Amino acid sequence: MRWWSLANLVSNVGTWMQLTAQNLLVLELTGSAALTGLSVSLQAAPGLLLGLAGGAAVDAWPRKLTAAVSQALLGVIAVVTAVLIALGQLNVGVLMALAVVTGLIATVDAPACALLGNDLVPPRDVPSAIAVGSLVHGVGRLGGAAAAGVLVSWWGAGAAYAANGLSFLFVATVIPFLRPAPGAVPVEPVAAPAGKAPAGKASPGKTPAAERRRGTGAREGLVFFFRRPRLVALAVITAMSSVFGRNYTLTLAVLVTGPLAGGAAEFGAVSTVLAVGGVVGAVLAGRLTAPTVRLVGTMAAVGGLLQVAAGLSPSLAVLMALIVPMAIVESVSDTAGTTVLQTDPPPRMRGRVLGVWRSVSTGWGLVGPPLLGLLMEWAGARGALVIGGVLIAGVVGAGAALHGRRSPAAASPAVASPAAVSPAEAGAAVASAAVVSAAVVSATAGAARRPAAPAAVPLMPAPLDGAHDAVAVPTRA
């Protein structure tokens, strides 16, 4: 697991270096923010349209081989792009085509690497492994954006692409040496239909590999997902939170520079507080043992109420005191939701479930920012935060009320679980958020009051689904 975490960190740094360089490169070639956004959308499009097919491929193919090959292909694309830049042969059309190919490979790479990371630890440690992945992703994002600024200013965008290509190839080299933890990859007995070979034995004329590939159709994954109340509820909670609650780079930017009369330095301090809160939340989430959809809903509702309070903040200091627990709660909710998503389905279905999730989350990730922008135009930054928070808490509360009306006898086993209630976990996360708030705010409030020259901020898309991920990024677990 240590080698995988190291590879994950190196790769995430490289990914964010390339994303930053890509946005700057499109701006340099075209001078158009619209075309820059188009490059992001083109890279996201395969996830929206082919995410389910990519998940089905992960279920059908050997996981380590699939992850290694996809990482190597992404590395080759990055290196080819760097060579084209060095030779002066890269134009906007070629760059857009390479973005599409990158997004296409990522539909297989993302679920393969996510599930491969879970295979390296015992099942009881999966929540901790996912929390470590979230922490690594956050550090990689900050480090990658900073490193891109240095590389691009010294050697140009090609250097960032070359570095990312090497990071992909490093991961592809590490993967063959990874060994699954004992019991991490259970083999499910499958009841044999009439006339077929019994479970555990290959049918006559069929190899064991062919037997493993039976029932890996994309349609089966789609049907499974939408017949699983727990996964549907998780999707609804996450969609509401992503659309109305987690585009803080947009809502807080307008709030700080508008009603709170701040500037670049103040918004930089707010962004720092958000980042620190996310890291603290990832550390706290590592203590979860059996996260549930109810815990995800509780954290989302608490985050919604904190968002309402943030929208009504009378000053920057009050806002920073509130966004620390907001970021912590969001990080805990994300980690709990990702754990449920990756462990609730049976092992043979997990790739397709992640594929369905990639498609639907890309959809709401693309719809969310424009919808939130319209809401802000109508109600302002304060109104958007308050209305969004009320909607999130209201939907979670309504879902809990509807679920509570169902009798235990009628409740689906997928929803009614003895571990469904986690008040201790929820209370610990909220209490920890309150304790950390004062320390973080005191460390950043002074920086916010000091005048500072506005720094050049690379154009980057906001996270699209709250899982510390952007659809434009071929991410790892």
Side-chain angles (χ1 to χ4, degrees):
M1 185 63 189
R2 292 189 182 92
W3 275 104
W4 179 246
S5 297
L6 174 61
N8 201 5
L9 176 61
V10 171
S11 192
N12 271 285
V13 170
T15 294
W16 283 101
M17 287 171 57
Q18 176 173 315
L19 178 60
T20 304
Q22 176 178 312
N23 292 329
L24 294 173
L25 185 60
V26 176
L27 281 175
E28 178 184 337
L29 292 174
T30 67
S32 170
L35 287 178
T36 303
L38 178 61
S39 70
V40 174
S41 297
L42 288 175
Q43 197 160 317
L48 176 65
L49 302 175
L50 300 173
L52 182 55
V58 171
D59 282 337
W61 301 338
R63 192 166 294 162
K64 285 175 63 176
L65 178 62
T66 302
V69 170
S70 64
Q71 290 281 300
L73 289 175
L74 289 170
V76 169
I77 292 174
V79 172
V80 167
T81 306
V83 172
L84 291 175
I85 294 173
L87 297 177
Q89 299 298 313
L90 185 69
N91 56 44
V92 176
V94 173
L95 185 60
M96 297 293 184
L98 291 172
V100 172
V101 175
T102 298
L104 183 63
I105 298 173
T107 61
V108 175
D109 177 74
C113 288
L115 296 175
L116 177 61
N118 294 346
D119 292 344
L120 303 179
V121 297
R124 67 178 181 277
D125 293 333
V126 167
S128 297
I130 292 174
V132 170
S134 298
L135 181 61
V136 166
H137 180 82
V139 173
R141 179 174 183 171
L142 294 173
V150 175
L151 286 179
V152 172
S153 63
W154 286 1
W155 296 294
Y161 276 91
N164 188 41
L166 293 177
S167 75
F168 277 121
L169 297 176
F170 174 69
V171 178
T173 302
V174 168
I175 287 175
F177 297 97
L178 301 176
R179 294 291 179 267
V185 189
V187 178
E188 295 185 349
V190 180
K196 301 290 183 179
K201 296 182 180 179
S203 300
K206 292 187 178 181
T207 65
E211 285 292 305
R212 287 196 300 270
R213 288 194 293 270
R214 288 189 309 156
T216 55
R219 182 178 178 276
E220 184 184 1
L222 192 65
V223 171
F224 176 89
F225 188 97
F226 286 103
R227 287 184 177 177
R228 195 81 159 182
R230 179 180 302 189
L231 297 179
V232 173
L234 180 63
V236 171
I237 294 169
T238 307
M240 291 297 299
S241 297
S242 299
V243 172
F244 295 106
R246 295 185 178 178
N247 285 290
Y248 296 136
T249 53
L250 177 60
T251 53
L252 293 181
V254 177
L255 178 64
V256 170
T257 59
L260 296 181
E266 286 76 14
F267 180 63
V270 168
S271 299
T272 301
V273 171
L274 278 171
V276 172
V279 171
V280 173
V283 173
L284 293 175
R287 301 174 61 87
L288 299 176
T289 55
T292 63
V293 175
R294 186 166 297 184
L295 175 62
V296 176
T298 300
M299 293 290 98
V302 171
L305 296 176
L306 287 169
Q307 180 177 312
V308 171
L312 301 174
S313 298
S315 66
L316 184 65
V318 174
L319 176 64
M320 287 200 294
L322 288 168
I323 61 176
V324 175
M326 282 169 57
I328 293 176
V329 165
E330 175 189 336
S331 183
V332 172
S333 177
D334 282 346
T335 301
T338 303
T339 303
V340 172
L341 181 67
Q342 295 183 10
T343 59
D344 177 70
R348 67 182 183 87
M349 296 294 301
R350 288 174 183 170
R352 280 162 287 178
V353 167
L354 290 182
V356 174
W357 188 267
R358 185 175 181 86
S359 292
V360 297
S361 64
T362 300
W364 70 59
L366 294 174
V367 171
L371 183 61
L372 184 62
L374 291 174
L375 180 59
M376 291 178 66
E377 286 189 1
W378 175 70
R382 290 189 184 276
L385 286 167
V386 171
I387 293 172
V390 170
L391 285 174
I392 295 168
V395 168
V396 173
L402 289 174
H403 177 67
R405 290 182 180 180
R406 300 177 62 185
S407 63
S412 166
V415 176
S417 169
V421 182
S422 305
E425 293 172 340
V430 176
S432 299
V435 171
V436 172
S437 298
V440 175
V441 171
S442 62
T444 57
R449 290 192 295 267
R450 288 194 298 267
V457 180
L459 179 62
M460 300 170 66
L464 296 179
D465 61 359
H468 309 288
D469 208 4
V471 294
V473 184
T475 54
R476 293 67 161 175

PDB file of all heavy atoms in Angstrom, residues 5 49 70 89 91 126 132 158 181 243 276 281 328 376 383 409 421 444 460 470:
ATOM      1  N   SER A   5       0.484   4.302  -2.588  1.00  0.00           N
ATOM      2  CA  SER A   5       0.252   5.675  -2.148  1.00  0.00           C
ATOM      3  C   SER A   5       1.293   6.619  -2.736  1.00  0.00           C
ATOM      4  O   SER A   5       0.970   7.735  -3.161  1.00  0.00           O
ATOM      5  CB  SER A   5       0.267   5.751  -0.618  1.00  0.00           C
ATOM      6  OG  SER A   5      -0.782   4.985  -0.062  1.00  0.00           O
ATOM      7  N   LEU A  49     -20.659   9.643 -21.535  1.00  0.00           N
ATOM      8  CA  LEU A  49     -21.291   8.780 -22.524  1.00  0.00           C
ATOM      9  C   LEU A  49     -20.873   7.319 -22.405  1.00  0.00           C
ATOM     10  O   LEU A  49     -21.656   6.422 -22.729  1.00  0.00           O
ATOM     11  CB  LEU A  49     -20.963   9.291 -23.934  1.00  0.00           C
ATOM     12  CG  LEU A  49     -21.383  10.738 -24.237  1.00  0.00           C
ATOM     13  CD1 LEU A  49     -20.895  11.141 -25.621  1.00  0.00           C
ATOM     14  CD2 LEU A  49     -22.893  10.897 -24.127  1.00  0.00           C
ATOM     15  N   SER A  70      -3.759   1.017 -18.994  1.00  0.00           N
ATOM     16  CA  SER A  70      -4.386   2.335 -19.122  1.00  0.00           C
ATOM     17  C   SER A  70      -3.448   3.445 -18.657  1.00  0.00           C
ATOM     18  O   SER A  70      -3.368   4.507 -19.282  1.00  0.00           O
ATOM     19  CB  SER A  70      -5.702   2.382 -18.336  1.00  0.00           C
ATOM     20  OG  SER A  70      -5.489   2.217 -16.948  1.00  0.00           O
ATOM     21  N   GLN A  89       4.400  21.554 -33.533  1.00  0.00           N
ATOM     22  CA  GLN A  89       3.396  20.953 -34.406  1.00  0.00           C
ATOM     23  C   GLN A  89       2.026  20.816 -33.743  1.00  0.00           C
ATOM     24  O   GLN A  89       1.120  20.225 -34.341  1.00  0.00           O
ATOM     25  CB  GLN A  89       3.866  19.556 -34.849  1.00  0.00           C
ATOM     26  CG  GLN A  89       5.162  19.563 -35.619  1.00  0.00           C
ATOM     27  CD  GLN A  89       5.037  20.347 -36.915  1.00  0.00           C
ATOM     28  OE1 GLN A  89       4.086  20.188 -37.676  1.00  0.00           O
ATOM     29  NE2 GLN A  89       6.004  21.224 -37.165  1.00  0.00           N
ATOM     30  N   ASN A  91      -1.509  22.050 -32.612  1.00  0.00           N
ATOM     31  CA  ASN A  91      -2.519  23.075 -32.812  1.00  0.00           C
ATOM     32  C   ASN A  91      -3.749  22.754 -31.990  1.00  0.00           C
ATOM     33  O   ASN A  91      -3.812  21.700 -31.320  1.00  0.00           O
ATOM     34  CB  ASN A  91      -2.872  23.222 -34.296  1.00  0.00           C
ATOM     35  CG  ASN A  91      -3.321  21.897 -34.909  1.00  0.00           C
ATOM     36  OD1 ASN A  91      -4.101  21.153 -34.320  1.00  0.00           O
ATOM     37  ND2 ASN A  91      -2.825  21.605 -36.112  1.00  0.00           N
ATOM     38  N   VAL A 126     -10.647  -0.565   4.138  1.00  0.00           N
ATOM     39  CA  VAL A 126     -10.961   0.164   2.905  1.00  0.00           C
ATOM     40  C   VAL A 126     -11.303   1.632   3.181  1.00  0.00           C
ATOM     41  O   VAL A 126     -10.831   2.522   2.464  1.00  0.00           O
ATOM     42  CB  VAL A 126     -12.095  -0.534   2.134  1.00  0.00           C
ATOM     43  CG1 VAL A 126     -12.655   0.365   1.027  1.00  0.00           C
ATOM     44  CG2 VAL A 126     -11.576  -1.830   1.525  1.00  0.00           C
ATOM     45  N   VAL A 132      -6.909   7.976   2.788  1.00  0.00           N
ATOM     46  CA  VAL A 132      -5.527   8.268   2.395  1.00  0.00           C
ATOM     47  C   VAL A 132      -5.492   8.729   0.941  1.00  0.00           C
ATOM     48  O   VAL A 132      -4.778   9.673   0.590  1.00  0.00           O
ATOM     49  CB  VAL A 132      -4.639   7.020   2.599  1.00  0.00           C
ATOM     50  CG1 VAL A 132      -3.263   7.239   1.972  1.00  0.00           C
ATOM     51  CG2 VAL A 132      -4.492   6.715   4.076  1.00  0.00           C
ATOM     52  N   GLY A 158       5.228  22.184 -22.472  1.00  0.00           N
ATOM     53  CA  GLY A 158       5.695  20.846 -22.812  1.00  0.00           C
ATOM     54  C   GLY A 158       6.356  20.135 -21.652  1.00  0.00           C
ATOM     55  O   GLY A 158       6.251  18.915 -21.519  1.00  0.00           O
ATOM     56  N   ALA A 181      -4.147  -7.801  -0.588  1.00  0.00           N
ATOM     57  CA  ALA A 181      -4.149  -8.248   0.804  1.00  0.00           C
ATOM     58  C   ALA A 181      -4.974  -9.516   0.932  1.00  0.00           C
ATOM     59  O   ALA A 181      -5.924  -9.730   0.166  1.00  0.00           O
ATOM     60  CB  ALA A 181      -4.729  -7.162   1.701  1.00  0.00           C
ATOM     61  N   VAL A 243     -24.371  20.057  -6.835  1.00  0.00           N
ATOM     62  CA  VAL A 243     -24.948  21.143  -7.617  1.00  0.00           C
ATOM     63  C   VAL A 243     -25.132  22.395  -6.776  1.00  0.00           C
ATOM     64  O   VAL A 243     -24.803  23.509  -7.202  1.00  0.00           O
ATOM     65  CB  VAL A 243     -26.291  20.709  -8.245  1.00  0.00           C
ATOM     66  CG1 VAL A 243     -26.989  21.895  -8.902  1.00  0.00           C
ATOM     67  CG2 VAL A 243     -26.064  19.603  -9.260  1.00  0.00           C
ATOM     68  N   VAL A 276      -7.179  23.417   3.916  1.00  0.00           N
ATOM     69  CA  VAL A 276      -6.772  22.845   5.202  1.00  0.00           C
ATOM     70  C   VAL A 276      -7.910  22.040   5.816  1.00  0.00           C
ATOM     71  O   VAL A 276      -7.707  20.932   6.331  1.00  0.00           O
ATOM     72  CB  VAL A 276      -6.318  23.966   6.157  1.00  0.00           C
ATOM     73  CG1 VAL A 276      -6.077  23.409   7.558  1.00  0.00           C
ATOM     74  CG2 VAL A 276      -5.047  24.623   5.632  1.00  0.00           C
ATOM     75  N   GLY A 281     -10.356  16.892   7.272  1.00  0.00           N
ATOM     76  CA  GLY A 281     -11.481  15.985   7.107  1.00  0.00           C
ATOM     77  C   GLY A 281     -11.054  14.628   6.599  1.00  0.00           C
ATOM     78  O   GLY A 281     -11.564  13.592   7.042  1.00  0.00           O
ATOM     79  N   ILE A 328     -14.493  20.221   6.407  1.00  0.00           N
ATOM     80  CA  ILE A 328     -14.269  18.950   7.101  1.00  0.00           C
ATOM     81  C   ILE A 328     -15.448  18.018   6.902  1.00  0.00           C
ATOM     82  O   ILE A 328     -15.293  16.831   6.570  1.00  0.00           O
ATOM     83  CB  ILE A 328     -14.010  19.202   8.601  1.00  0.00           C
ATOM     84  CG1 ILE A 328     -12.690  19.945   8.786  1.00  0.00           C
ATOM     85  CG2 ILE A 328     -14.005  17.898   9.380  1.00  0.00           C
ATOM     86  CD1 ILE A 328     -12.388  20.323  10.220  1.00  0.00           C
ATOM     87  N   MET A 376     -27.250  32.376  -8.783  1.00  0.00           N
ATOM     88  CA  MET A 376     -26.531  33.521  -8.214  1.00  0.00           C
ATOM     89  C   MET A 376     -26.946  34.823  -8.895  1.00  0.00           C
ATOM     90  O   MET A 376     -27.028  35.863  -8.247  1.00  0.00           O
ATOM     91  CB  MET A 376     -25.021  33.305  -8.345  1.00  0.00           C
ATOM     92  CG  MET A 376     -24.480  32.202  -7.453  1.00  0.00           C
ATOM     93  SD  MET A 376     -22.716  31.936  -7.690  1.00  0.00           S
ATOM     94  CE  MET A 376     -22.063  33.478  -7.098  1.00  0.00           C
ATOM     95  N   GLY A 383     -27.832  34.633  -1.357  1.00  0.00           N
ATOM     96  CA  GLY A 383     -29.056  33.883  -1.603  1.00  0.00           C
ATOM     97  C   GLY A 383     -28.785  32.496  -2.146  1.00  0.00           C
ATOM     98  O   GLY A 383     -29.461  31.528  -1.767  1.00  0.00           O
ATOM     99  N   ALA A 409     -40.149  -4.578   8.428  1.00  0.00           N
ATOM    100  CA  ALA A 409     -40.394  -5.797   7.657  1.00  0.00           C
ATOM    101  C   ALA A 409     -40.390  -5.524   6.174  1.00  0.00           C
ATOM    102  O   ALA A 409     -40.011  -6.360   5.360  1.00  0.00           O
ATOM    103  CB  ALA A 409     -41.739  -6.411   8.048  1.00  0.00           C
ATOM    104  N   VAL A 421     -27.069   3.263  11.399  1.00  0.00           N
ATOM    105  CA  VAL A 421     -27.003   4.456  12.236  1.00  0.00           C
ATOM    106  C   VAL A 421     -25.585   4.589  12.784  1.00  0.00           C
ATOM    107  O   VAL A 421     -25.066   3.664  13.392  1.00  0.00           O
ATOM    108  CB  VAL A 421     -28.016   4.371  13.396  1.00  0.00           C
ATOM    109  CG1 VAL A 421     -27.968   5.631  14.225  1.00  0.00           C
ATOM    110  CG2 VAL A 421     -29.414   4.137  12.859  1.00  0.00           C
ATOM    111  N   THR A 444      -4.976  31.953   9.682  1.00  0.00           N
ATOM    112  CA  THR A 444      -5.181  32.525   8.347  1.00  0.00           C
ATOM    113  C   THR A 444      -5.801  33.909   8.368  1.00  0.00           C
ATOM    114  O   THR A 444      -5.704  34.632   7.383  1.00  0.00           O
ATOM    115  CB  THR A 444      -6.089  31.609   7.516  1.00  0.00           C
ATOM    116  OG1 THR A 444      -7.321  31.425   8.212  1.00  0.00           O
ATOM    117  CG2 THR A 444      -5.430  30.263   7.268  1.00  0.00           C
ATOM    118  N   MET A 460      -8.627  26.779 -13.820  1.00  0.00           N
ATOM    119  CA  MET A 460      -8.868  25.368 -13.553  1.00  0.00           C
ATOM    120  C   MET A 460     -10.331  25.173 -13.255  1.00  0.00           C
ATOM    121  O   MET A 460     -10.969  26.017 -12.649  1.00  0.00           O
ATOM    122  CB  MET A 460      -8.034  24.886 -12.346  1.00  0.00           C
ATOM    123  CG  MET A 460      -6.535  25.027 -12.540  1.00  0.00           C
ATOM    124  SD  MET A 460      -5.625  24.729 -11.032  1.00  0.00           S
ATOM    125  CE  MET A 460      -5.958  23.019 -10.773  1.00  0.00           C
ATOM    126  N   ALA A 470     -12.061  16.323 -10.677  1.00  0.00           N
ATOM    127  CA  ALA A 470     -12.654  17.027 -11.799  1.00  0.00           C
ATOM    128  C   ALA A 470     -12.734  16.075 -12.962  1.00  0.00           C
ATOM    129  O   ALA A 470     -11.854  15.249 -13.159  1.00  0.00           O
ATOM    130  CB  ALA A 470     -11.812  18.243 -12.186  1.00  0.00           C
TER     131      ALA A 470
END
